[in-house]
Amino acid sequence: MSAVAVLIDHDRGVPSGGALEALTAARSLASDLNTDLVAVILGDGDLFDAHGADLVAACADYGAAVVHCGRHSFLADYGPDAWGTALAMFVEAAGPVAVVAAGTDRGAEAIAQLAARTDLPLVANCVNVSPASSLADAPSGPAGGDAWHITRIQWGGSLLEDVTLTSTLPLLTIAQHSIEAEPCEGGPVPAAVADFEPDLGPEVQQTLVRDRVTLAEGVTLSTAPVVVSGGRGVGSADGFAPLEELADLLGGRVGCSRAVTNNGWRSHADQVGQTGTRIAPEIYIACGISGAIQHWVGAMGSKNILAINIDPEANMVTKAGYAVIADLHEVVPAICDEIRRRRDRPS
Amino acid sequence: MRILVCVKRVPAVGSRINVTDDGQQVDTAHLGFTTSPHEECAVEEAAQIVEQLDGDEHAVVVLTLGPEASTEQLRYAASVGGNEFALVMAEGGLDWDPQRTAVAITSAVRELEAAGGQFDLILFGNESADGGNFQVGIRVAHALGRPIVNGIKGIDPHERGFTARRETDAGYEVYELEAPCALGVKEGINLPRYPTMKGRLASRKAQIQVLDCTADVDAGGQSRVRLHRPPERASTTVQLGDSAAAAPAVVDLLDELGVL
Ligand SMILES: Cc1cc2nc3c(=O)[nH]c(=O)nc-3n(C[C@H](O)[C@H](O)[C@H](O)COP(=O)(O)OP(=O)(O)OC[C@H]3O[C@@H](n4cnc5c(N)ncnc54)[C@H](O)[C@@H]3O)c2cc1C
Ligand SMILES: Nc1ncnc2c1ncn2[C@@H]1O[C@H](COP(=O)(O)O)[C@@H](O)[C@H]1O
């Protein structure tokens, strides 16, 4: 077959945003290699009954010629061993030229499980991939063949690393938010569906999701259209009340810097940055945050940034598109008041 | 209970990361060294688990692969709850590719277990702070035949193993693993302690076992050409004001962007 295969990481039938970005990146890789793009989706009968048609349609929108559906009762929910084993069986049977996944928790973990099982190199968080010039001289292992030239992120995106990859089967993850998910220009392609049934033993059951607890409904930090974040400049846990209010008025979420979580003012679930969440809102409002590189890499996917800071030289201010140089404790409540004033008296 | 924690020495970078002229490494001329926040939390978690248990046969063993200077990170671990320490000597090990790193760590774990007994739990960081390869722990666990789940933000030990929580966008997922097993942990699982006076003394006395098991470990298929800084996003900052009087201009902007 020799296609470029993309693992579609999904949560009970809903593909991650990263999976669509990975499809987009893999489509251009397939076109460089002059070969087909195919998708791999793992689930059980119920999952495919409920979501199969939508998942296949999404893959077709992004140009997948074949959608390989791995069905097994152990794939009813996510599990790294179940996904890694099923993926290894797909690779064995279908012989793709490359396997790509999203740099999401699930995508990165499942493909690392594949890498461990096959003892193949895995290049994580790629932002640019140039394959060996054509299929004819595609990599044929350390002994011969051209290497692939890849640029990946290090330090959560603060640095880039150019690497060469020599492998019989390149395995890659695509850095989140490094590429915009774009369906095929000419509309969906006619995607064929191919079922396969991986042979999964009971040992994969140990790492299946056993239970889940929902804490937040509605928009989340990584999907919110507006994120209002506070840093050390907020001064205390209570100091976040006006930021909460602004986020509520705009249907957004509150985020924070590591200085804030280290002080115990907010939960780490709210942290934006290298060791927190990567966000990509329409606008990021950063209040009292200096903009250290490890924070910036979590926020740089934002379409617009407004920095509110007393220091005009702060990194966050000089990198932002918009800034207010003033005390956040005065500016944020004033913005809330102005929003309420306009809503009370619609023009 | 014996818990192994794998930590990696990395430069303590500031608000901007510089690269040496040859592009081969981070310029550390004016930098100290540290470990990833994820790994600091892994050490803390291991210490907390062990401290809850009765008896004194429990241990937190901390392992690092790197140059001799990596003993600094082991000594730090000694000051915040680690009990035994192993340095897997590897010159240039800070920039080893993840496959090679995993093979060497796997043989080190085998050596440690042959001498001191099996680890009930092996903790890794979710990813290293520098390389961010998201795979060393998974490769090591697989080679040892143990289950592993990454991205863990909560661990509860019980009779037969560990209940582990992984954060999702909307809440968390629960996993049940039987010992022996491995977990990759994320910052936020706890707030790591600061070294106490007693801890500092312990760190000076810590015995570090040096393992020499990297001799015939081959390089993996990924190899560095150069490091470089991403292009700066050229931005001219539009200043909307220097007091609370900027509020109307801010709300105009929100309106323009369609988020009002
Ligand atoms: C490996 C690693 C990973 C990391 N990961 C992350 C991460 O995921 N996320 C993260 O955020 N950090 C991370 N960090 C930490 C990061 O380096 C910074 O220490 C942190 O982001 C600083 O937070 P801050 O901007 O809130 O605090 P500071 O740097 O102290 O900045 C406070 C800012 O508030 C401004 N200010 C003060 N008072 C006011 C006021 N009244 N009104 C307006 N402005 C005011 C000041 O001018 C200043 O700019 C990481 C570090 C390392 C080494
Ligand atoms: N040189 C090293 N020494 C010890 N542990 C390491 C080393 N490199 C990676 N690890 C462990 O493996 C995890 C994942 O690393 P990585 O695959 O590089 O993202 C890290 O968080 C560490 O726990």
Side-chain angles (χ1 to χ4, degrees):
Chain A
M1 170 190 71
S2 293
V4 173
V6 181
L7 170 69
I8 307 301
D9 69 300
H10 62 87
D11 186 22
R12 291 160 293 166
V14 180
S16 73
L20 303 180
E21 294 167 2
L23 273 169
T24 309
R27 187 174 68 226
S28 83
L29 181 57
S31 126
D32 287 349
L33 287 166
N34 201 10
T35 186
D36 280 344
L37 173 69
V38 304
V40 183
I41 304 174
L42 304 171
D44 71 343
D46 287 349
L47 186 135
F48 283 109
D49 286 348
H51 303 282
D54 287 347
L55 283 166
V56 170
C59 295
D61 282 343
Y62 283 82
V66 185
V67 181
H68 295 269
C69 300
R71 294 165 177 263
H72 195 285
S73 59
F74 293 164
L75 296 170
D77 205 336
Y78 176 73
D81 280 306
W83 280 41
T85 310
L87 206 48
M89 286 173 181
F90 161 78
V91 164
E92 179 78 33
V97 281
V99 184
V100 179
T104 52
D105 281 351
R106 288 184 178 184
E109 183 176 46
I111 202 167
Q113 285 282 352
L114 170 65
R117 282 169 165 71
T118 52
D119 201 18
L120 289 166
L122 159 64
V123 184
N125 284 321
C126 303
V127 294
N128 192 31
V129 181
S130 309
S133 38
S134 75
L135 266 185
D137 57 10
S140 54
D146 287 351
W148 287 32
H149 291 265
I150 297 174
T151 302
R152 62 183 296 269
I153 63 173
Q154 277 224 353
W155 291 96
S158 310
L159 278 189
L160 298 176
E161 181 187 25
D162 295 339
V163 300
T164 54
L165 169 64
T166 317
S167 175
T168 47
L169 173 62
L171 308 181
L172 318 167
T173 65
I174 304 300
Q176 282 192 78
H177 306 315
S178 65
I179 178 174
E180 196 130 347
E182 274 175 19
C184 292
E185 260 175 30
V189 301
V193 175
D195 284 343
F196 70 103
E197 193 168 332
D199 178 18
L200 302 179
E203 68 283 353
V204 306
Q205 285 180 286
Q206 240 206 97
T207 55
L208 292 178
V209 173
R210 280 299 163 87
D211 199 2
R212 49 168 49 84
V213 176
T214 304
L215 298 174
E217 298 282 359
V219 295
T220 63
L221 196 54
S222 61
T223 59
V226 178
V227 175
V228 182
S229 260
R232 199 191 305 278
V234 174
S236 66
D238 293 342
F240 275 86
L243 279 69
E244 291 278 5
E245 194 183 351
L246 179 56
D248 277 350
L249 285 167
L250 298 172
R253 284 289 305 264
V254 169
C256 67
S257 72
R258 183 159 179 251
V260 168
T261 43
N262 272 351
N263 276 315
W265 298 343
R266 292 194 78 85
S267 147
H268 184 270
D270 294 344
Q271 183 174 312
V272 171
Q274 181 179 342
T275 50
T277 301
R278 268 139 227 277
I279 58 169
E282 192 57 38
I283 184 165
Y284 183 53
I285 305 178
C287 312
I289 296 179
S290 64
I293 189 88
Q294 299 89 357
H295 183 84
W296 174 254
V297 294
M300 67 187 181
S302 310
K303 301 208 177 52
N304 297 280
I305 296 177
L306 166 64
I308 302 175
N309 201 306
I310 44 176
D311 176 8
E313 301 302 320
N315 246 321
M316 202 73 219
V317 172
T318 57
K319 284 182 171 171
Y322 305 92
V324 176
I325 309 301
D327 186 342
L328 70 95
H329 300 103
E330 288 162 19
V331 180
V332 177
I335 299 171
C336 293
D337 287 346
E338 177 67 14
I339 293 173
R340 271 190 302 263
R341 198 183 61 77
R342 291 198 197 180
R343 287 192 180 156
D344 287 349
R345 275 186 283 141
S347 48
Chain B
M1 167 139 38
R2 283 174 73 73
I3 305 180
L4 177 71
V5 188
C6 294
V7 304
K8 180 180 184 187
R9 172 180 171 88
V10 296
V13 297
S15 58
R16 174 191 173 103
I17 306 181
N18 294 313
V19 175
T20 53
D21 289 341
D22 65 1
Q24 289 310 299
Q25 55 195 45
V26 170
D27 184 353
T28 55
H30 306 286
L31 298 180
F33 285 81
T34 180
T35 61
S36 159
H38 297 320
E39 293 153 28
E40 275 179 31
C41 289
V43 173
E44 175 66 31
E45 194 66 16
Q48 287 186 15
I49 292 173
V50 162
E51 284 161 4
Q52 281 166 22
L53 303 171
D54 296 327
D56 55 8
E57 69 278 25
H58 313 292
V60 174
V61 183
V62 185
L63 174 153
T64 191
L65 178 147
E68 194 168 4
S70 316
T71 50
E72 184 191 348
Q73 278 57 53
L74 296 178
R75 290 202 186 276
Y76 183 80
S79 72
V80 289
N83 309 120
E84 295 173 26
F85 310 93
L87 167 65
V88 184
M89 273 281 234
E91 268 326 308
L94 294 184
D95 291 309
W96 273 21
D97 69 76
Q99 266 177 304
R100 189 182 191 192
T101 304
V103 171
I105 292 179
T106 304
S107 66
V109 174
R110 290 205 170 106
E111 207 172 314
L112 290 172
E113 290 195 330
Q118 191 171 61
F119 295 111
D120 302 276
L121 176 64
I122 305 181
L123 292 181
F124 298 92
N126 190 63
E127 82 270 6
S128 53
D130 55 350
N133 299 299
F134 292 81
Q135 57 186 271
V136 167
I138 293 169
R139 288 185 189 272
V140 172
H142 186 262
L144 295 168
R146 293 178 204 179
I148 179 166
V149 180
N150 233 11
I152 295 305
K153 269 193 158 182
I155 302 175
D156 291 313
H158 54 73
E159 199 93 324
R160 293 173 56 216
F162 301 89
T163 303
R165 288 187 299 280
R166 164 146 141 180
E167 191 177 59
T168 62
D169 253 5
Y172 56 86
E173 299 165 345
V174 182
Y175 295 87
E176 283 293 341
L177 288 88
E178 272 176 38
C181 62
L183 294 167
V185 313
K186 270 195 184 175
E187 181 182 42
I189 188 171
N190 53 43
L191 270 181
R193 69 194 69 179
Y194 290 102
T196 56
M197 214 43 181
K198 193 169 147 235
R200 287 213 181 84
L201 276 173
S203 90
R204 246 175 269 148
K205 289 202 213 112
Q207 296 283 322
I208 295 173
Q209 183 184 352
V210 178
L211 300 178
D212 187 12
C213 52
T214 55
D216 5 286
V217 188
D218 294 333
Q222 171 183 330
S223 107
R224 174 173 299 169
V225 177
R226 70 180 182 119
L227 291 171
H228 50 108
R229 269 212 307 269
E232 304 254 330
R233 169 153 120 177
S235 87
T236 37
T237 310
V238 179
Q239 203 173 307
L240 299 177
D242 55 9
S243 71
V250 170
V251 180
D252 286 346
L253 171 67
L254 298 173
D255 198 9
E256 230 170 81
L257 297 176
V259 296
L260 199 57

